[in-house]
Amino acid sequence: MLRQYELVERVKEYAPEADEALLNRAYVYTVQKHGTQKRASGDPYFSHPIEVAGLMTDLKLDQETIVTALLHDTVEDTLTTIDDIRKNFGPEVARLVDGVTKLSKIEQMPENERAAENLRKFLLAMSEDLRVLLVKLADRLHNMRTLHFIRSPEKRQRIARETMEIYAPLAERVGMYEYMREMQLLAFEQLEPEAYATIVGRLEQIRSSEGGQVDAIALKVKQALAEDGIRVEVSGREKHPYSIWKKMAERHVSFEQITDIMAFRVHTESPEDCYRALGVLHRTWQFVPGRFKDYISTPKTNGYRSLHTTLIYQGAMRVEVQIRTREMHRLNEFGLAAHWAYKQGGSRPDGQVGWLRDLIEIVDASHDAEELLEHTKLAVYQDRIFAFTPKGALFQLPKRATPVDFAFAVHTDLGAHTVGAKINGRHVPLRTPLSNGDVVEIIKGANSEPQLSWLGFVVTGKARAAIRRAVRQKERAEVAEIGSKLFEQIADQLPAKIGKKAIRAAVERLELADEEDLMFAIGAAKLSDRDVMEALVPGSTVDLPEAPRDGRAVSIKGLTAGVGFALADCCHPVPGDRIVGLRRPGEVVEVHVIDCFTLARGFDTDWIDLSWGDRSHGAVGRLRIVLYNRPGTLAEVAGIFAKNYANALYLEQVERDDPFHTYAVDLEVQDLAHLTRIVSALRASEAVAEAERV
């Protein structure tokens, strides 16, 4: 563990103007607040925030970040409050500590929900200040280094899985490859212990049997470049165990079939020397076609720059070579964190803005926690390809991305109005996967809108989130349109003419957002007619009889006096149907239509012959209606209900397969004849493709 004076000296080495008193005060504060708390390893708890602060000094981050690292667990794990932090260390440190604390307060949530909420808070906190993420990544890295001290295998696995699925990819997206690789390695050891042990063992065997072959190859590369007058540093290593395992899984091959286990880095003095070195290596050794990548002229989204190539060494051995300047290497290993050494005033490093803006947009568009998790994983995890607009603008997308993904990457409005696409000048289907270097032209339609079927082939989180949001908005508008028709029926029953003033007052009384929200609530059957009438004209429902509920306005012959009954939800019997009752011990009699599928299952229960009573009227019938996907079709259906004096109690879109939309509708009807007339009227409508009773 770093001692107090050692931590201060580290900061003063790269930031001589740092406030030494502030650093000392924060160090002492965390030691005092955590007091006698212990970690699973048995070490004092305060050793953890001090080590996290040490990791931040390795990145040469500013004093506010170092202080935040020292204090990051005090609010969560001690009696300290954010106000205490603000009072003792200032508003900026308090804001950063609060951001990190919010990312940590989710350990008791269910796993999927916790992971999704983690992502949501990550993204929103990052949008405010990237340093929140840097501290949290260092916090997770140190926790992973001590993960083996936790006794519970289930807890170790959960933390490792969360690290592999969320923290390591986010470290990669901000270019912190050293953090990413170590997190992956430590998580891999917990998640796949047998595979980890096998691969590490095989690498040790190769290392001992080759007798320094890595060093020998590195020397050969350096000599070849020196002969051409290029001064370089060359280092070699076996590939990362997790990288090897991932390649084995993707290619479905054994360890022995992986030919490019060795990787070498060549550090030059200038970008020009990078390309000169590449030429020398390709002249000296044969390179593997299709394995060359130029990330210097076209950097990755996170700012990563390097040349990648694979050489065939001594006839059979494949070795991967990465060529970059020393400055590129420093920025590549620590990514956006490295920029903070040169930034003043806490400004956001350039380079993170594009993908971070997309992620924040996904947060806004996601409907629930699981959807957010799905979309964000798509946004941060996948390998990249490069595609161009006709004017030459470059966009990075995941592999298997389509023109629709490309359109949404350019702009959400462009994606929403896409009707067609050209790839390299040729018209193609919208589901066509893009390849590296494609020039993509998107064809817009003024009145077009996202289609639900696109979800079958788009791969980016941004596209999926935008499509789902647009589909939900369209469905909401259609339900609100039905609500408007039903509202007219409700208003006709009132003693006074209803104007805008009365509607605004009703919206306020019902605690809704606006008039559209009211129409949607009516269309979705979230409000009863009485609720709406009372909100429009208070006191207007006093003399109205209560609306029938659960079919209790009907009477049933064949039941002993006092025996309760319920109309079955599976077949929705209405007066006029032939009916039968199912009697189960301790339950009310369940009334079914005689040909209900439920009866065919052969329940071991008593059947009772039933018939409708003389005063039976008013029950709920369910319809399945298939509409053409055209403007106004739902309104026309609502009009048919109104003309036939039927009240829609429930409506749900159950299937969407353009050009048809299928709905389930529950109607309050008088009897079977009434329901039959409505079905006939629906079938006669040009808006309806099919209508049938369920």
Side-chain angles (χ1 to χ4, degrees):
M1 182 178 72
L2 282 173
R3 296 183 180 181
Q4 185 173 338
Y5 74 89
E6 291 174 327
L7 180 67
V8 174
E9 285 179 357
R10 280 198 185 191
V11 178
K12 298 286 277 185
E13 280 179 9
Y14 63 83
E17 74 288 350
D19 186 340
E20 189 172 337
L22 176 68
L23 296 168
N24 283 323
R25 198 162 69 249
Y27 190 104
V28 172
Y29 193 87
T30 195
V31 170
Q32 289 177 340
K33 290 299 180 181
H34 288 294
T36 58
Q37 292 176 348
K38 299 284 186 181
R39 288 175 60 78
S41 62
D43 293 332
Y45 191 91
F46 56 72
S47 65
H48 167 66
I50 290 170
E51 291 300 324
V52 173
L55 290 171
M56 296 290 91
T57 64
D58 292 338
L59 300 176
K60 296 181 171 54
L61 293 178
D62 59 300
Q63 65 182 25
E64 286 77 17
T65 309
I66 307 301
V67 172
T68 298
L70 288 168
L71 303 174
H72 77 271
D73 276 338
T74 54
V75 173
E76 184 182 5
D77 294 331
T78 76
L79 297 177
T80 306
T81 66
I82 289 296
D83 286 338
D84 294 333
I85 300 294
R86 186 179 295 106
K87 179 180 176 181
N88 288 285
F89 300 98
E92 183 173 6
V93 170
R95 177 174 56 80
L96 293 173
V97 171
D98 188 39
V100 178
T101 301
K102 285 177 179 175
L103 301 182
S104 304
K105 282 188 173 180
I106 40 186
E107 292 302 318
Q108 304 306 315
M109 297 170 66
E111 187 166 340
N112 261 5
E113 191 178 339
R114 179 179 61 248
E117 193 63 18
N118 232 340
L119 280 169
R120 182 185 297 276
K121 291 181 177 179
F122 251 141
L123 304 179
L124 294 176
M126 279 195 299
S127 69
E128 297 295 327
D129 199 316
L130 184 70
R131 291 174 293 178
V132 170
L133 173 62
L134 301 183
V135 173
K136 189 62 183 176
L137 290 177
D139 169 62
R140 177 50 63 110
L141 178 59
H142 186 257
N143 281 334
M144 288 300 295
R145 288 174 176 175
T146 57
L147 184 62
H148 57 282
F149 288 111
I150 294 177
R151 292 183 180 180
S152 167
E154 293 78 13
K155 186 173 181 180
R156 291 199 306 270
Q157 289 249 332
R158 176 185 62 75
I159 294 171
R161 190 178 305 109
E162 191 174 63
T163 300
M164 188 71 85
E165 293 185 350
I166 297 174
Y167 292 86
L170 280 168
E172 188 270 338
R173 284 312 300 267
V174 294
M176 297 177 70
Y177 285 92
E178 283 290 338
Y179 277 38
M180 178 200 74
R181 282 190 287 267
E182 188 174 352
M183 284 182 187
Q184 287 177 337
L185 182 65
L186 294 168
F188 177 45
E189 183 179 5
Q190 294 294 331
L191 296 172
E192 301 286 347
E194 292 183 7
Y196 173 85
T198 301
I199 293 174
V200 170
R202 292 290 291 114
L203 289 174
E204 288 176 354
Q205 289 176 9
I206 291 172
R207 201 175 300 125
S208 59
S209 64
E210 287 177 347
Q213 189 174 19
V214 170
D215 293 338
I217 296 174
L219 182 59
K220 286 282 188 183
V221 170
K222 188 171 184 177
Q223 288 173 344
L225 295 173
E227 289 173 5
D228 213 78
I230 307 172
R231 295 174 56 187
V232 297
E233 294 174 8
V234 182
S235 61
R237 57 176 174 79
E238 292 89 4
K239 281 197 172 178
H240 195 282
Y242 173 69
S243 173
I244 294 172
W245 181 81
K246 188 177 177 184
K247 191 167 289 187
M248 289 167 59
E250 288 175 349
R251 299 181 184 176
H252 305 287
V253 296
S254 66
F255 183 93
E256 287 70 23
Q257 291 172 291
I258 300 291
T259 55
D260 51 346
I261 287 176
M262 295 184 188
F264 296 85
R265 285 179 181 156
V266 176
H267 295 168
T268 70
E269 295 182 348
S270 69
E272 292 75 18
D273 284 346
C274 291
Y275 290 101
R276 285 180 60 203
L278 178 71
V280 171
L281 295 180
H282 281 189
R283 289 198 306 270
T284 307
W285 293 284
Q286 181 183 351
F287 79 97
V288 179
R291 296 296 302 275
F292 167 65
K293 295 177 181 176
D294 184 349
Y295 293 118
I296 293 180
S297 66
T298 309
K300 291 186 179 181
T301 311
N302 58 22
Y304 177 92
R305 301 177 71 205
S306 183
L307 299 176
H308 289 196
T309 189
T310 300
L311 306 176
I312 300 177
Y313 184 78
Q314 292 185 344
M317 184 185 300
R318 292 187 178 194
V319 295
E320 182 181 298
V321 182
Q322 300 172 359
I323 309 168
R324 60 187 69 161
T325 67
R326 294 177 183 84
E327 177 64 10
M328 287 177 194
H329 177 68
R330 188 185 68 82
L331 296 176
N332 288 350
E333 292 306 287
F334 297 109
L336 295 173
H339 287 270
W340 286 101
Y342 305 102
K343 292 285 179 177
Q344 301 297 322
S347 59
R348 179 183 295 166
D350 298 330
Q352 70 153 315
V353 178
W355 71 269
L356 181 55
R357 183 173 57 243
D358 287 349
L359 291 182
I360 297 302
E361 190 171 324
I362 287 171
V363 171
D364 293 338
S366 296
H367 183 59
D368 53 35
E370 292 212 5
E371 189 176 299
L372 170 69
L373 186 61
E374 173 203 344
H375 293 162
T376 314
K377 279 184 178 179
L378 288 170
V380 299
Y381 292 175
Q382 298 171 340
D383 293 334
R384 297 321 217 213
I385 63 163
F386 300 95
F388 298 86
T389 67
K391 293 184 178 180
L394 174 66
F395 288 87
Q396 295 187 41
L397 296 160
K399 287 182 178 178
R400 300 182 303 280
T402 65
V404 175
D405 294 296
F406 182 88
F408 278 105
V410 175
H411 199 281
T412 304
D413 286 344
L414 179 62
H417 293 95
T418 297
V419 294
K422 292 181 181 179
I423 298 179
N424 303 324
R426 292 177 53 248
H427 282 281
V428 296
L430 288 177
R431 61 174 60 245
T432 305
L434 301 178
S435 300
N436 253 328
D438 280 345
V439 176
V440 185
E441 180 182 350
I442 300 298
I443 301 168
K444 292 175 62 177
N447 299 316
S448 61
E449 55 191 15
Q451 302 298 309
L452 187 66
S453 59
W454 290 357
L455 292 175
F457 56 79
V458 296
V459 300
T460 59
K462 183 177 181 182
R464 296 183 76 85
I467 292 165
R468 282 178 169 161
R469 178 172 57 182
V471 168
R472 283 196 297 269
Q473 288 174 343
K474 182 179 179 183
E475 289 176 352
R476 181 182 175 86
E478 291 172 344
V479 173
E481 192 173 359
I482 285 184
S484 297
K485 293 288 184 181
L486 297 175
F487 177 81
E488 293 174 6
Q489 299 176 43
I490 295 170
D492 287 343
Q493 301 176 51
L494 290 167
K497 187 175 181 181
I498 302 302
K500 290 291 183 183
K501 184 178 178 181
I503 294 174
R504 285 195 297 270
V507 166
E508 188 173 335
R509 291 187 187 105
L510 293 168
E511 298 181 351
L512 299 173
D514 50 30
E515 183 177 339
E516 182 184 353
D517 214 18
L518 172 62
M519 300 309 164
F520 174 77
I522 296 171
K526 293 182 177 181
L527 293 172
S528 68
D529 290 4
R530 295 178 68 94
D531 292 337
V532 178
M533 293 169 71
E534 189 64 24
L536 289 167
V537 181
S540 60
T541 63
V542 172
D543 297 325
L544 288 178
E546 283 290 330
R549 295 184 183 274
D550 299 328
R552 288 313 177 93
V554 304
S555 62
I556 301 289
K557 291 180 180 178
L559 293 177
T560 305
V563 172
F565 68 89
L567 302 181
D569 289 333
C570 49
C571 54
H572 296 280
V574 297
D577 285 322
R578 291 181 59 198
I579 54 176
V580 67
L582 287 183
R583 185 197 298 275
R584 296 186 180 90
E587 298 182 18
V588 299
V589 172
E590 210 172 68
V591 180
H592 292 260
V593 177
I594 192 67
D595 55 358
C596 175
F597 286 116
T598 300
L599 300 178
R601 295 176 187 167
F603 287 108
D604 187 17
T605 54
D606 294 334
W607 285 36
I608 307 170
D609 288 327
L610 300 176
S611 60
W612 299 99
D614 296 333
R615 60 182 180 82
S616 293
H617 66 278
V620 177
R622 173 161 289 188
L623 300 182
R624 174 182 172 274
I625 307 173
V626 180
L627 304 183
Y628 292 104
N629 182 16
R630 294 196 295 260
T633 52
L634 268 176
E636 186 168 338
V637 168
I640 291 172
F641 296 158
K643 289 177 183 176
N644 285 275
Y645 304 102
N647 187 26
L649 300 179
Y650 166 85
L651 179 140
E652 180 187 9
Q653 186 178 73
V654 295
E655 189 176 345
R656 189 182 181 108
D657 185 13
D658 290 335
F660 303 108
H661 293 182
T662 303
Y663 293 87
V665 184
D666 284 355
L667 288 180
E668 193 174 39
V669 295
Q670 293 299 310
D671 51 29
L672 180 60
H674 187 196
L675 185 60
T676 302
R677 286 197 303 273
I678 295 170
V679 172
S680 298
L682 290 169
R683 289 173 176 171
S685 170
E686 292 293 329
V688 180
E690 295 177 21
E692 61 183 357
R693 183 183 176 190
V694 176

